[in-house]
Amino acid sequence: MSQNTKPDYNRSTRAQSHVIGVALLLGVAVISMSALTASVGVLIEQQTTSADATRVADEMDTAFSPAKMTGTHHERLSFSEGTLRSSDRQLRLLTDSNVVRTVDVNALVFTTGNSRVAFVSGAIVCGSSGNAWLHTEPPITRSSDGDMLIVGTSKIGTTDAVSGAGGVIATLRTNVTHTRKRIGNGTYAVAIETETPKPFVRYFSDWEGTVERRDIDGDGIESVIATLGSEQDTYLVIHDFNTEVNSG
């Protein structure tokens, strides 16, 4: 006689559970690897944009060094991916809240990802409005006795935008001239229009004087207004770069 053998349901269930468990583990592993790959990709992209921003800031510093140049020059800015464009900006001299002099300095702005570099009025600012710092300070000086104030500023003119990915080279052609004008003896405030006012506020707060922020012309862009002493013989020095920006 044949003997009936009952199936081992416990063993079958354990086998199925084991298969399901392995499948779940493999699924988790695949998801983890995907997340890791995505994280590494984001990290690499952030490092690339940060490196681009640092390189562009250094190259801007070289290209717009007024003490070293007069006449025609060519410099290159290189970046992996991003956009280089000009924006309308002004520097003003004020007395008793009245505008004495306005200079259309404009800004040259580089953006890539969340990184930003701007050359404005002779200063270079890195970072966004919430987290920005001065890479190069504005060229404003005062005599040791405080009797003379020299307000230096650079103006670039209006340029075409250059953008791209996979490696971009922008050529800056400048034709540099310098002018110096005596404004007079008195109490003058310097107003720099900028999208990143905090670094300028911190910088001018270290000077003797007062600092405030105000949208002077109602265009939505604040100016950092610094009164850097009283009764000073004040001069305005303009470094006009007459900049053209081309791709390649």
Side-chain angles (χ1 to χ4, degrees), residues 183-194:
I183 303 300
N185 193 60
T187 301
Y188 295 94
V190 182
I192 299 176
E193 192 175 44
T194 174

Side-chain angles (χ1 to χ4, degrees), residues 137-158:
E137 298 173 347
I140 298 173
T141 59
R142 185 169 53 188
S143 62
S144 57
D145 57 11
D147 291 339
M148 179 182 293
L149 177 66
I150 300 176
V151 179
T153 186
S154 297
K155 57 183 297 185
I156 65 166
T158 302

Side-chain angles (χ1 to χ4, degrees), residues 54-69:
T54 300
R55 182 169 56 252
V56 168
D58 289 339
E59 290 172 346
M60 280 186 179
D61 204 10
T62 299
F64 297 113
S65 179
K68 300 178 182 178
M69 60 181 65

Side-chain angles (χ1 to χ4, degrees), residues 186-209:
T187 301
Y188 295 94
V190 182
I192 299 176
E193 192 175 44
T194 174
E195 285 189 359
T196 50
K198 289 183 180 179
F200 290 95
V201 170
R202 290 194 296 267
Y203 172 72
F204 286 122
S205 294
D206 292 336
W207 293 54
E208 180 184 352

Side-chain angles (χ1 to χ4, degrees), residues 13-35:
T13 302
R14 285 196 301 270
Q16 292 176 2
S17 298
H18 178 70
V19 171
I20 294 172
V22 170
L24 288 174
L25 287 174
L26 288 173
V28 170
V30 170
I31 293 172
S32 299
M33 288 300 295
S34 299

Side-chain angles (χ1 to χ4, degrees), residues 1-172:
M1 290 180 62
S2 64
Q3 185 178 357
N4 292 330
T5 302
K6 294 183 179 179
D8 189 344
Y9 293 106
N10 291 332
R11 179 180 298 176
S12 176
T13 302
R14 285 196 301 270
Q16 292 176 2
S17 298
H18 178 70
V19 171
I20 294 172
V22 170
L24 288 174
L25 287 174
L26 288 173
V28 170
V30 170
I31 293 172
S32 299
M33 288 300 295
S34 299
L36 178 61
T37 302
S39 299
V40 170
V42 170
L43 180 60
I44 291 173
E45 182 179 357
Q46 290 174 343
Q47 290 176 337
T48 300
T49 58
S50 178
D52 273 346
T54 300
R55 182 169 56 252
V56 168
D58 289 339
E59 290 172 346
M60 280 186 179
D61 204 10
T62 299
F64 297 113
S65 179
K68 300 178 182 178
M69 60 181 65
T70 297
T72 303
H73 296 268
H74 294 82
E75 297 288 345
R76 288 184 173 183
L77 301 185
S78 56
F79 48 91
S80 300
E81 181 178 0
T83 299
L84 189 67
R85 59 181 174 79
S86 63
S87 296
D88 293 338
R89 296 290 182 268
Q90 285 76 39
L91 175 138
R92 297 178 174 88
L93 292 178
L94 301 86
T95 178
D96 297 329
S97 299
N98 296 317
V99 177
V100 175
R101 184 71 182 267
T102 299
V103 183
D104 293 322
V105 295
N106 293 346
L108 188 63
V109 182
F110 169 70
T111 53
T112 177
N114 294 324
S115 297
R116 181 180 183 275
V117 179
F119 175 83
V120 56
S121 195
I124 297 176
V125 191
C126 298
S128 61
S129 58
N131 180 28
W133 63 94
L134 284 176
H135 180 85
T136 303
E137 298 173 347
I140 298 173
T141 59
R142 185 169 53 188
S143 62
S144 57
D145 57 11
D147 291 339
M148 179 182 293
L149 177 66
I150 300 176
V151 179
T153 186
S154 297
K155 57 183 297 185
I156 65 166
T158 302
T159 68
D160 294 331
V162 172
S163 62
V168 181
I169 295 177
T171 300
L172 305 184

